[in-house]
């Protein structure tokens, strides 16, 4: 409990600290400043990792922190897709089952959102896939789809090494998942076995395994053929893009037309081999040390929704320790790890007092927070958000430079991009700054990762029947 303070005293303290603490707060936050020179250096380093990741030389690939995984998706929708398809969309915070009807260039979806709690995420392979298959079965029965053989696209938003469009081995879990017996196993085989145990083996045909970035790209490409890349800015971050087959030296696939393939970069791991150490602040290092995957997914930890709120909290605790925020006092809630979700960052960045007051109340600091405290909190959220957006823009710029498509559309999905009121603007301003010659459109995807998987299944079915 905090000591009561008179209104006059609060005002005096506020005015005093507004003048004395401003420079000190700036000194703390300047570690998040990334000038254009630094952003361009990030694009150079990431481009090197892209090229190494695509190399035929295993030693070169080992030097890259991004896996550059072939997806075996070589076509985008051309409008001829039609029929009824299923999709499963499994990501950091979501599990969805969809049926997608494609007719005459139009798409209609039916979507269910079964819960996905920690018990399932941390269970074992049989339990995990039994749960998924069970909800597919419930969905099919509920919507009376039993009489159809349903092609299914499986969006599995984790690092997977694919050997074909419908097979892929989980390299490692991310985003808080840890179900045993899944890593180093073919997740499509595990799903098919679970479907068979549910009595759905003859009803559902798993035709495609895709990452959420690929699904996002495909969904937007159905509406806009100029889309050539997909970007996720949500719980995690990742990107994919259409690459020329001649540049995929490590691929042993056929070289028939079309001579292109979507590459899943898995750029969340960028920097894991030390190439971004010079950009890591003491706050980043603390967040990494205290995470469940220390030393991994460093780029993701500087950008994505799973971590930005915690990063803000860590910075605020330092400011409180320096008596630059909340008069050096803090609630137990604020001291609790992961108590400041990225949703709060978005609320603070909105600038709306009602939203900011909700954050203060949730964090149990509404009674001692004065106007200057709110301004400092806004500055912390802005500093962390701007750096994240500038790094995401650096990744986009790397793809644009790599492909040479300076007039292009990037499909974007994810809760951070959708809900943060300033993130898109921060990215656009950065792209204009570092690539003034480019015309890059950031296109928000509509349920991209699920619908996109259905579209990939539709393309796979079309290819099988022609």
């Amino acid at each position: 409990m905090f000591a009561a303070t008179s209104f006059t005293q609060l005002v005096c303290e506020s005015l005093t600290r507004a003048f004395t603490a401003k420079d000190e707060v700036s000194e703390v936050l300047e570690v998040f400043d990334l000038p254009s020179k630094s952003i361009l250096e990030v694009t150079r380093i990431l481009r090197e990792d892209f090229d190494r990741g695509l190399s035929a030389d295993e030693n070169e690939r080992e030097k890259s922190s991004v896996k550059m995984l072939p997806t075996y998706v070589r076509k985008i929708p051309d409008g001829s897709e039609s029929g009824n398809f299923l999709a499963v969309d499994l990501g950091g915070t979501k599990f969805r089952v969809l049926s997608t009807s494609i007719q005459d260039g139009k798409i209609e979806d039916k979507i269910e959102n079964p819960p996905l709690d920690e018990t399932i995420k941390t269970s074992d392979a049989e339990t995990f896939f039994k749960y998924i298959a069970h909800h597919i079965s419930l969905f099919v029965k509920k919507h009376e789809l039993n009489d159809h053989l349903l092609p299914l696209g499986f969006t599995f938003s984790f690092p997977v090494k694919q050997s074909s469009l419908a097979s892929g081995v989980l390299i490692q879990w991310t985003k808080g998942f840890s179900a045993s017996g899944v890593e180093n196993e073919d997740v499509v085989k595990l799903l098919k076995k679970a479907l068979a145990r549910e009595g759905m083996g003859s009803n559902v045909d798993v035709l495609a395994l895709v990452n959420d970035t690929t699904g996002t790209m495909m969904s937007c490409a159905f509406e806009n053929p100029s889309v050539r890349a997909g970007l996720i800015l949500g719980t995690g971050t990742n990107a994919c893009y259409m690459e020329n087959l001649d540049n995929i030296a490590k691929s042993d696939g056929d070289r028939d037309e079309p001579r292109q393939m979507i590459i899943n970069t898995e750029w969340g791991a960028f920097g894991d081999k030390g190439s971004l150490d010079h950009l890591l602040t003491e706050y980043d290092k603390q967040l990494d040390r205290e995470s469940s995957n220390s030393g991994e997914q460093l780029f993701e930890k500087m950008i994505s929704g799973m971590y930005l709120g915690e990063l803000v909290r860590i910075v605020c605790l330092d400011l409180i320790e320096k008596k630059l925020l909340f008069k050096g006092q803090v609630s137990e809630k604020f001291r609790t790890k992961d108590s400041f979700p990225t949703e709060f960052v978005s609320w603070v960045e909105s600038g709306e007092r009602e939203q900011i007051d909700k954050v203060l109340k949730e964090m149990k600091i509404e009674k001692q927070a004065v106007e200057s405290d709110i301004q400092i909190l806004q500055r912390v959220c802005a500093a962390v958000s701007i750096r994240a957006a500038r790094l995401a823009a650096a990744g986009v710029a790397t793809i644009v430079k790599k492909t040479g498509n300076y007039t292009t559309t990037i499909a974007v999905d994810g809760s951070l991009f959708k809900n943060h009121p300033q993130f898109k603007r921060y990215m656009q301003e950065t792209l204009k700054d570092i690539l003034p010659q480019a015309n890059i459109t950031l296109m928000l995807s509509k349920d991209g990762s699920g619908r996109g998987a259905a579209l990939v299944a539709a393309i796979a079915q079309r290819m099988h029947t022609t």
Side-chain angles (χ1 to χ4, degrees):
M1 186 64 67
F2 299 99
T5 308
S6 73
F7 177 76
T8 302
Q9 185 180 348
L10 285 175
V11 171
C12 290
E13 288 181 0
S14 175
L15 290 172
T16 301
R17 291 169 62 247
F19 287 102
T20 60
K22 184 176 180 181
D23 289 341
E24 294 174 83
V25 172
S26 297
E27 288 176 6
V28 171
L29 297 182
E30 68 183 2
V31 296
F32 292 100
D33 291 345
L34 283 182
S36 298
K37 182 179 179 181
S38 297
I39 293 295
L40 289 170
E41 177 68 3
V42 170
T43 67
R44 184 191 66 78
I45 299 169
L46 183 56
R47 172 64 186 274
E48 288 180 354
D49 267 9
F50 275 15
D51 292 339
R52 290 188 182 116
L54 293 172
S55 173
D57 186 337
E58 186 175 349
N59 291 326
E60 279 297 297
R61 293 202 301 273
E62 280 296 313
K63 296 177 184 177
S64 174
S65 56
V66 293
K67 297 187 181 299
M68 305 300 284
L69 301 171
T71 66
Y72 296 86
V73 178
R74 294 174 58 183
K75 293 183 179 181
I76 62 173
D78 63 8
S80 66
E81 297 80 19
S82 66
N84 297 308
F85 305 89
L86 283 180
V88 171
D89 184 7
L90 184 67
T93 57
K94 64 188 176 186
F95 168 38
R96 293 182 293 181
V97 183
L98 307 84
S99 66
T100 298
S101 175
I102 310 173
Q103 300 292 338
D104 301 322
K106 296 181 180 180
I107 295 183
E108 290 186 4
D109 299 313
K110 295 177 182 176
I111 304 174
E112 303 258 341
N113 296 276
L116 187 65
D117 60 27
E118 291 298 314
T119 303
I120 299 298
K121 291 162 67 174
T122 58
S123 59
D124 57 77
E126 183 173 345
T127 302
F128 187 85
F129 283 95
K130 178 181 180 180
Y131 185 80
I132 295 172
H134 177 65
H135 280 283
I136 293 173
S137 175
L138 290 178
F139 184 93
V140 168
K141 292 172 183 175
K142 177 180 177 179
H143 295 284
E144 299 180 345
L145 301 171
N146 308 60
D147 297 334
H148 302 82
L149 176 60
L150 296 163
L152 182 142
F154 183 22
T155 296
F156 188 72
S157 305
F158 305 91
V160 169
K161 183 177 181 180
Q162 291 188 236
S163 54
S164 70
L165 184 59
S167 63
V169 172
L170 175 63
I171 298 170
Q172 65 181 40
W173 282 119
T174 57
K175 306 172 187 175
F177 283 67
S178 60
S180 62
V182 185
E183 291 184 347
N184 301 314
E185 297 293 336
D186 187 327
V187 295
V188 174
K189 285 185 179 179
L190 292 174
L191 178 58
K192 285 183 174 181
K193 287 180 181 178
L195 286 167
R197 287 194 291 267
E198 283 287 322
M200 300 297 295
S202 60
N203 290 90
V204 178
D205 187 12
V206 185
L207 291 185
L209 174 67
V210 301
N211 189 272
D212 53 355
T213 55
T214 303
T216 294
M217 177 177 166
M218 297 295 281
S219 177
C220 286
F222 186 80
E223 301 176 32
N224 185 343
S226 71
V227 170
R228 284 296 179 272
L231 171 61
I232 298 296
L233 291 166
T235 305
T237 183
N238 192 16
C240 70
Y241 70 98
M242 188 66 82
E243 179 62 273
N244 190 308
L245 280 179
D246 293 337
N247 296 328
I248 312 174
K250 68 179 182 180
S251 176
D252 56 1
D254 66 74
R255 298 296 181 183
D256 296 337
E257 297 294 333
R259 296 186 57 75
Q260 60 182 14
M261 184 186 293
I262 295 176
I263 292 293
N264 168 22
T265 67
E266 287 296 334
W267 78 13
F270 177 44
D272 287 8
K273 294 184 182 293
S275 59
L276 293 180
D277 284 0
H278 63 293
L279 295 182
L280 296 178
T281 69
E282 290 304 314
Y283 308 113
D284 294 308
K285 293 173 184 177
Q286 179 181 338
L287 183 146
D288 180 52
R289 284 195 306 271
E290 295 173 354
S291 70
S292 60
N293 58 342
S294 182
E296 299 175 356
Q297 301 296 109
L298 294 180
F299 196 54
E300 185 166 82
K301 287 172 179 171
M302 299 168 79
I303 293 177
S304 74
M306 188 168 183
Y307 303 102
L308 290 191
E310 178 65 3
L311 195 55
V312 165
R313 189 188 71 86
I314 291 171
V315 175
C316 286
L317 284 178
D318 186 41
L319 291 171
I320 291 166
E321 183 72 21
K322 291 179 167 69
K323 300 192 183 327
L324 299 173
L325 183 62
F326 306 134
K327 300 182 290 298
Q329 301 179 72
V330 65
S331 65
E332 283 304 311
K333 179 71 176 290
F334 222 117
R335 290 191 184 280
T336 305
K337 185 176 182 291
D338 295 325
S339 62
F340 198 97
T342 298
E343 180 182 37
F344 287 3
V345 179
S346 296
W347 291 358
V348 172
E349 281 270 67
S350 74
E352 296 178 10
R353 190 52 185 259
E354 183 179 347
Q355 296 285 73
I356 295 170
D357 286 345
K358 283 172 63 177
V359 173
L360 299 177
K361 186 175 181 180
E362 287 286 336
M363 298 306 296
K364 314 291 186 188
I365 52 175
E366 74 273 21
K367 292 183 179 179
Q368 80 272 17
V370 295
E371 196 61 35
S372 61
D373 292 321
I374 293 171
Q375 292 170 3
I376 291 171
L377 181 61
Q378 288 178 304
R379 289 168 63 191
V380 174
C381 289
V384 171
S385 297
I386 290 170
R387 186 188 68 163
R390 286 177 71 78
L391 288 171
V396 170
T398 305
I399 289 174
V400 170
K401 289 181 176 181
K402 178 78 171 68
T403 60
N405 294 325
Y406 284 82
T407 299
T408 189
T409 299
I410 311 294
V412 192
D413 200 1
S415 56
L416 179 62
F417 188 80
K418 288 179 179 178
N419 299 330
H420 191 296
Q422 307 296 338
F423 209 88
K424 182 178 181 179
R425 178 172 67 84
Y426 294 153
M427 286 186 67
Q428 289 173 323
E429 290 175 353
T430 303
L431 288 168
K432 287 178 183 177
D433 183 28
I434 62 175
L435 283 182
Q437 73 275 38
N439 181 13
I440 302 167
T441 300
L442 301 176
M443 178 181 179
L444 179 63
S445 173
K446 299 175 183 176
D447 189 39
S449 51
R451 178 180 287 185
L455 284 164
V456 175
I459 292 171
Q461 184 188 58
R462 186 184 72 208
M463 293 173 66
H464 287 170
T465 56
T466 57

